[in-house]
Amino acid sequence: MNFSRLYLSAFLIFSVFTISFSQAKSATESKTEKTEAQLELEKKALKLTEQAVGEAATLKLWENRSLAFAMAGDLLWDSNQKRAKALFRDAADELIQGAIQPKEKVKDYYEEFYYWQERSPRRVILLMIASHDADMALKFLQETRPAELQKAIDDSKRPSVKGQKKSPAEMQKESGDRFKAEQEVSLEQQFAAKAAEQDPKKAAKLIRESLKKGVTMSAVTLIQKVNKKDEELGKELFKEVLSSILATKFVGDNDGRTERQVAVYLLNQSVNPKVFESRNEKFVKLEIEESDLKDIADKLADFYLAAKGYDDFWEFNEILPAFKKYAPAKIDALKLKEKAVLENTPEQMRTYIEGSKKSSDPNSTAEELMEDAKNQTAWQKYNNYKIAVDKFLEKGEGEKARTSLKSEPDSKQKTDALEYLSTKQSEKAIKDGKMEEAQSLIESAETESSKIGLMVEIALGFEKKNTEEDHKTAVKLIEDASKLVNNVPESVEEGNDILKVVSGYALIEPKSAFEYLNNMIYMANDLMTAQALIAKYNKRNNYFKDGEVIYTQIFNNSYAKYSTALAKLAEHDFGKTESLIGQFQRQDIQIFAKMLVAQSILKDKIGLEGNNQYGVYYSF
């Protein structure tokens, strides 16, 4: 196993443990028993939280201390609001002190640009606070804003000067600063979206103040949430957002960039909402008057007609159907403009653009996408396959999709597409209660990893039927899946396979899940020790700093999807859970594990909202 694989294994094992505790209850308990048991479990979780807070004060990194205090505040809010607010204040103070500390010498070409998006837990913390008190979050947003970020915001308000020559370094810095400023405005508008859940009128006040700094995609989320509480207020806010978009000058390399993105989204979601529904089942279409859509389309069309390079045409193919519907008089001119721009575009970029036309066109048929895939690059080929599968399934032609894919030449893209098809089919069969049909799909799995995933999901489907016979079937499926996993993962995929099996055992046979975790923690300790030592000599290491693991780096939101499936463990045996935490040799790991176990008991889900590399976190 090479060092990179050791690294992955260590963090996968830690993730398996830390998200293996959730608040699902046993179906065999009476209502009274469940209530009493849950209250007792919550008391233990609160005690565990306070214990972790006390230990967190000894952590070396301000990044970790601030996140630990904020997580504790989030967990204690319902039981002790005064204490929670004090912890949020402590978290904000740590962020302020962290912002004024001298920066380390840059280790990597890209580190400075991504510093606030990757390392600082500021976004995560402020979103936690906003979920309880948007006013407090807004106050801390301003207090914790680094001076360099404030300067970037101030500079972003100044329009580009036409004809001004800039060096490549100046252009790159300006682009980075604008990106940071846009993220900050987006974060502020997310607070308004949170406020909408608490008080729509308060949300309206926040968004109106924020709109002075620009419109981001978070404004769309806000309007959707306000609509649920106050439809008239939602319409009123949308008119203000629309006015702001239409008043913005879409010129230059950066001016009006976020407003253009919102305009493109509004048109696309109106013309082809099914695309967005396929990406997110919770997507809700924003109803917009046709006259407003025509105004947006006209403004965007004028921007494209005046554009000089293909960078501005990036979404053109995707938005073309909207132009055909809402700005038909400008279609011919737009196509001529695109052709002229393409002629001056580098060949490699031109090839990519031409290749993405079919997949960008919502009117492309599944058969056309399959045919087009033959001439595409690897990524585009898989994208074509995936969209084709969705279109086949939409018409109830799953087996036709499988036959079409099987006839394609062997490739990783073909294998991945077949796995995607099996997953979608099994999800639907389980949802419809057709368990035998779902079970028959196991043999169609192209890889062992895919087979493990199908077996676990189908086992959980049987378990939900809540009969003795179905429970036996579920246990047999999980046992069969466990025989296919490697106890020592040597890749991300193998680590995920273990995670799938443990998630299944946790719901079906909790005792077996504990056995897996007990063995894996010993290995995790060895791997974490090894990685901490390697990090000491590898200055580009992103997981450790001053010998301490960085919390925001080790927890990826992609694991949070297992939090509801990995149920019952803390409830099954809280004492054993605490014992497992104690088996981690590193105190920084123990503290974070305690926080996540408490979070899984006290919250609906575990995870760190907004904890991703680029900062943007959209719910649609």
Side-chain angles (χ1 to χ4, degrees), residues 263-272 275-276 293 296-298 300-302 304-305 310 312-339 342 353-354 356-364:
V264 169
Y265 171 78
L266 292 174
L267 287 177
N268 283 338
Q269 67 101 43
S270 298
V271 172
N272 195 23
V275 171
F276 295 90
L293 290 166
I296 296 171
D298 279 339
L300 271 174
D302 290 341
Y304 287 125
L305 289 171
Y310 209 92
D312 293 328
F313 270 74
W314 195 253
E315 308 104 339
F316 183 75
N317 289 322
E318 183 182 352
I319 203 172
L320 191 56
F323 285 140
K324 289 177 180 177
K325 184 172 182 179
Y326 299 117
K330 297 182 179 181
I331 285 293
D332 291 341
L334 284 167
K335 288 185 175 180
L336 286 173
K337 178 69 177 184
E338 182 196 26
K339 182 179 179 182
L342 268 176
I353 291 164
E354 292 292 346
S356 64
K357 283 188 174 181
K358 280 291 181 187
S359 59
S360 298
D361 185 355
N363 297 315
S364 295

Side-chain angles (χ1 to χ4, degrees), residues 79-127:
S79 61
N80 189 342
Q81 198 171 115
K82 183 178 179 181
R83 170 70 169 146
K85 286 183 177 180
L87 286 165
F88 285 150
R89 177 71 264 178
D90 290 342
D93 289 342
E94 290 288 352
L95 290 174
I96 292 168
Q97 290 302 310
I100 63 176
Q101 285 184 14
K103 282 191 176 181
E104 299 176 45
K105 185 178 179 181
V106 175
K107 306 172 191 173
D108 186 276
Y109 293 125
Y110 307 101
E111 182 172 312
E112 185 172 0
F113 179 80
Y114 287 124
Y115 181 79
W116 278 100
Q117 282 70 42
E118 280 189 343
R119 295 291 186 83
S120 174
R122 180 171 174 265
R123 169 177 292 272
V124 172
I125 289 170
L126 292 174
L127 283 170

Side-chain angles (χ1 to χ4, degrees), residues 17 47 67 87 116 225 266-267 369 375 398 481 518-519 581:
F17 173 77
K47 183 178 178 181
L67 182 57
L87 286 165
W116 278 100
K225 289 186 176 181
L266 292 174
L267 287 177
L369 286 162
N375 303 313
N518 191 57
N519 293 333
I581 294 173

Side-chain angles (χ1 to χ4, degrees), residues 528-538 544:
M528 294 290 280
T529 299
Q531 289 309 311
L533 181 61
I534 292 169
K536 182 178 179 180
Y537 300 101
N538 178 7
F544 289 86

